[in-house]
Amino acid sequence: MKQAFRRAFTLSLPVMAGYLSLGIAYGILMEDYGYNFIWSGLVSLFVYGGSIQFVALNFLKGGFSLLTIAIMTLLVNSRHIFYGLSLFNAYRPMGKKKPYMIYALSDETFSLLCSYKDQPGLDNNACMFFICLIDHFWWTLGGVLGGLVGSLITFDTTGLDFAMTALFVVIFTEQWLEAKTHIPAIVGILSAIVCLNVFGSDNFLLPTLIVAVCILFLAKTPISVKLREEEGK
Amino acid sequence: MILSASQSFLIFLVIALCTIFTRFLPFIIFGNRDLPLPLQYLGPILPATIMAVLVVYCLKSTAFSAPALWVPQLVSVAVVVLLHLWKRQTMLSIIGGTACYMFLVQVVFA
């Protein structure tokens, strides 16, 4: 158990870096909107969704109905449906741990779990559970710290939210370096750019994912061939 | 705070519930059964597609009508990628790219 925790801690170190800097950025921005560290800490603990928390800052300016907010949240987070599909089989043997591990399936936890490699002689299911728990902890701690720091020092935070973009670019780069085929990544980029221009910047996320999935099905033969070639090496 | 505490609480409650719903949905639909074959094909390749989409999503407000609308984010993304290819340390890549972006929007294109 101890070993599983230690491995989970090591694996989640990059997420700690990202989550502390992003979480602190979030806490500071919340502070700018007049919400102290208790708010940012609790929101980070219970909502636990990086991008939607940043999007939600706009809601705090007022003028949004709860229905609009619900639809926006479902759209922004619709990608989580695809995370669940990707980890569906990996989550099967999780037993009592499963509900929490579904609840805590953030972008970064997903990226760690979908690249998780079993280690012999280790309780790997416990290790994956600890990854969820530790990531969740870092994100919440970041929110609290950001709120506290934000109330102590005041400096121009314009552009601090770029930390989120930077984190996604880092994960994208990591996946690119390790990918057996670049077709899925390229499909994602092109679908997103086309849909951004067709549907506009507010509504393109869901159409993009649907278009991308359709193309992935159409390109099933070349992708499967590539995957098999790489596995044969 | 523009909104009251209870208004804010309601907003965050709705966001939390909707987020939980999207995370549980596949498990609610398929339960303990096996995923249909087409979805089993998607599982391993979808993550790369999703991350690519998320990167574009973060850059969605980029426009080419004025340098201030595209130089800061595209240069900073390049900095993140180059830093990461060089040292492959997440912390360094994120901090370096964010510092570059903040400098560009606060000083160069202020």
Side-chain angles (χ1 to χ4, degrees), chain A residues 116-132:
Chain A
Y116 185 85
K117 290 177 185 72
D118 278 351
Q119 188 178 298
L122 192 78
D123 188 344
N124 288 294
N125 291 348
C127 185
M128 292 174 83
F129 172 76
F130 285 136
I131 289 175
C132 294

Side-chain angles (χ1 to χ4, degrees), chain A residues 61-185:
Chain A
K61 293 170 187 162
F64 291 87
S65 74
L66 288 178
L67 183 66
T68 310
I69 291 170
I71 292 170
M72 274 294 289
T73 308
L74 291 174
L75 285 179
V76 171
N77 282 338
S78 49
R79 65 180 188 283
H80 288 139
I81 297 167
F82 298 92
Y83 298 169
L85 290 176
S86 298
L87 290 174
F88 195 82
N89 289 329
Y91 267 21
R92 200 177 286 271
M94 291 303 169
K96 280 183 192 161
K97 298 189 275 287
K98 193 170 165 180
Y100 171 73
M101 291 179 71
I102 297 171
Y103 171 71
L105 195 51
S106 66
D107 301 285
E108 292 72 17
T109 300
F110 167 73
S111 70
L112 290 182
L113 293 186
C114 73
S115 55
Y116 185 85
K117 290 177 185 72
D118 278 351
Q119 188 178 298
L122 192 78
D123 188 344
N124 288 294
N125 291 348
C127 185
M128 292 174 83
F129 172 76
F130 285 136
I131 289 175
C132 294
L133 197 66
I134 294 168
D135 283 358
H136 198 175
F137 171 76
W138 291 128
W139 179 248
T140 306
L141 182 68
V144 172
L145 286 180
L148 287 174
V149 170
S151 53
L152 292 176
I153 53 165
T154 47
F155 64 96
D156 190 352
T157 54
T158 311
L160 190 59
D161 50 348
F162 187 80
M164 179 174 67
T165 308
L167 183 63
F168 288 151
V169 172
V170 165
I171 295 173
F172 174 81
T173 310
E174 278 289 334
Q175 288 184 341
W176 183 275
L177 292 173
E178 295 193 348
K180 291 172 183 153
T181 161
H182 295 312
I183 300 174

Side-chain angles (χ1 to χ4, degrees), chain A residues 18-38:
Chain A
Y19 270 13
L20 282 182
S21 51
L22 262 170
I24 288 173
Y26 179 71
I28 292 174
L29 288 169
M30 279 285 277
E31 187 70 30
D32 286 347
Y33 279 77
Y35 295 83
N36 65 18
F37 70 95
I38 299 172

